[in-house]
Amino acid sequence: MNSRMLIGAGLAVCASPAFALNILLSNDDGLTSNLKALYDELRAAGHSVIVSVPCSGQSGRSAAIVMYSTTNIIPDNDKTQIEAEGGCHNGAAPTGAPAVGAFTKSGYTGGDYHYVHGTPVMATMYGLDVLATARWGKAPDLVLSGPNEGQNVGKVVINSGTIGNAQFAAGRGIPAIALSAGTNTVDNKELANANSRVVAQQTLKLIAALQAKAGSSALLPGGVALNVNFPDSVNASSSWAFSRIGSYDTYALKFSSAAPWGLSGSLPPAATAEQAEDEAVVYKTRIAVTAMQIGYEQRPAAQQWLRLRLRDLFSK
């Protein structure tokens, strides 16, 4: 076999489906430029992808488990894009369509795109329990949630639907990554924001790096999910950095003391030197990657502290 044939054979092995992953792609925004860009890049890389997203934007729903209708998409129970758009966000499906189903929007009807008229976690559950079983006969190798239209950093992550999806999947033992980008990735007309494609391409680098180290093992160890935040200025040469949820927050959120009722807030004071690795600091200039625990389980040391502190009570 000559050198040209050897090179060709090597490329064929690299492109083998053995290196492909079965990926469930969800989010909390519905059909967006970010979703389409990541789907396109994943497919181009040879991965098998199922999309299962909420019918309409569901930011801040965290891990809520709610269906807005179990029969059809209706305009009055979901006070988000349904009333304004007459159906799912960006025309994924119309009002009156089944509450769960495949996109009807032209260009998205190949069988990979699906919606759920409910919260983000309901869409993820549908993807795991129904779509993945039908397509692959098993759970996906990886769940990706996002990329969100706006970063999710600091303590506010507990309120994020993007994070809720990743936490839910990781709680089932499935490797899961939450992805969040800047609001400069929004494109509600053409669904082709150039920044969305950059975020998607960088996400592929992260997946490839995890695959290179995992070999035939799972991409992430049990009990670990990732939170990844891209800076507004993300580009093809953006650097990656370790980060932690930490104590620094992007906003000091409060409830407004007068009408109009709802959230109010202000920018926090400058970060301290001890907060330099907090994701709310890191994501400003680099791609921040944080390891999250699953749910609320504490570390063994804290659990032992509780055993000792309340041992008299526990012994009764």
Side-chain angles (χ1 to χ4, degrees), residues 10-167:
L11 290 174
V13 169
C14 291
S16 166
F19 291 87
L21 298 174
N22 296 331
I23 298 175
L24 174 64
L25 177 56
S26 190
N27 68 12
D28 70 356
D29 294 315
L31 175 57
T32 64
S33 175
N34 285 345
L35 181 79
K36 182 180 186 302
L38 184 52
Y39 169 84
D40 289 345
E41 291 295 328
L42 291 170
R43 286 295 307 274
H47 300 298
S48 178
V49 185
I50 295 172
V51 172
S52 183
V53 297
C55 172
S56 60
Q58 298 290 309
S59 293
R61 266 58 171 188
S62 186
I65 302 175
V66 179
M67 287 293 291
Y68 298 118
S69 170
T70 56
T71 54
N72 300 92
I73 298 173
I74 54 179
D76 56 344
N77 279 11
D78 179 14
K79 305 297 185 181
T80 54
Q81 281 91 358
I82 297 297
E83 292 180 338
E85 299 190 32
C88 293
H89 188 41
N90 286 322
T95 300
V100 171
F103 281 19
T104 60
K105 182 181 177 71
S106 177
Y108 297 82
T109 57
D112 288 346
Y113 282 91
H114 304 81
Y115 67 86
V116 172
H117 189 33
T119 54
V121 167
M122 295 304 296
T124 297
M125 291 175 68
Y126 178 57
L128 294 176
D129 296 335
V130 179
L131 300 175
T133 300
R135 172 77 64 86
W136 304 309
K138 60 180 181 178
D141 301 309
L142 175 65
V143 171
L144 296 176
S145 179
N148 191 60
E149 297 174 333
Q151 290 89 359
N152 284 295
V153 293
K155 293 190 291 294
V156 75
V157 299
I158 198 171
N159 307 112
S160 164
T162 305
I163 303 295
N165 287 335
Q167 285 278 334

Side-chain angles (χ1 to χ4, degrees), residues 69-313:
S69 170
T70 56
T71 54
N72 300 92
I73 298 173
I74 54 179
D76 56 344
N77 279 11
D78 179 14
K79 305 297 185 181
T80 54
Q81 281 91 358
I82 297 297
E83 292 180 338
E85 299 190 32
C88 293
H89 188 41
N90 286 322
T95 300
V100 171
F103 281 19
T104 60
K105 182 181 177 71
S106 177
Y108 297 82
T109 57
D112 288 346
Y113 282 91
H114 304 81
Y115 67 86
V116 172
H117 189 33
T119 54
V121 167
M122 295 304 296
T124 297
M125 291 175 68
Y126 178 57
L128 294 176
D129 296 335
V130 179
L131 300 175
T133 300
R135 172 77 64 86
W136 304 309
K138 60 180 181 178
D141 301 309
L142 175 65
V143 171
L144 296 176
S145 179
N148 191 60
E149 297 174 333
Q151 290 89 359
N152 284 295
V153 293
K155 293 190 291 294
V156 75
V157 299
I158 198 171
N159 307 112
S160 164
T162 305
I163 303 295
N165 287 335
Q167 285 278 334
F168 185 86
R172 288 197 177 185
I174 304 168
I177 303 174
L179 305 161
S180 299
T183 55
N184 61 353
T185 58
V186 175
D187 178 3
N188 288 332
K189 185 176 181 181
E190 303 297 333
L191 298 175
N193 188 312
N195 293 324
S196 297
R197 187 179 182 193
V198 174
V199 169
Q201 291 171 338
Q202 290 285 29
T203 299
L204 265 290
K205 291 182 183 179
L206 173 63
I207 294 172
L210 291 171
Q211 283 187 284
K213 295 294 185 180
S216 59
S217 301
L219 292 186
L220 297 171
V224 175
L226 299 185
N227 187 30
V228 179
N229 283 276
F230 299 88
D232 292 347
S233 59
V234 65
N235 57 63
S237 58
S238 290
S239 60
W240 296 76
F242 166 84
S243 64
R244 61 194 180 202
I245 292 176
S247 60
Y248 188 71
D249 283 317
T250 303
Y251 298 102
L253 295 178
K254 296 181 178 180
F255 197 92
S256 59
S257 59
W261 307 115
L263 284 177
S264 66
S266 59
L267 294 175
T272 66
E274 290 75 21
Q275 294 171 320
E277 288 188 324
D278 288 10
E279 44 185 23
V281 176
V282 175
Y283 93 91
K284 293 288 188 179
T285 56
R286 293 164 291 172
I287 305 173
V289 184
T290 301
M292 299 187 292
Q293 69 179 24
I294 307 307
Y296 300 99
E297 182 77 2
Q298 252 296 353
R299 294 189 175 110
Q303 296 191 34
Q304 182 62 13
W305 169 89
L306 182 62
R307 287 177 184 272
L308 294 174
R309 179 58 58 95
L310 297 181
R311 61 184 175 186
D312 292 341
L313 179 63

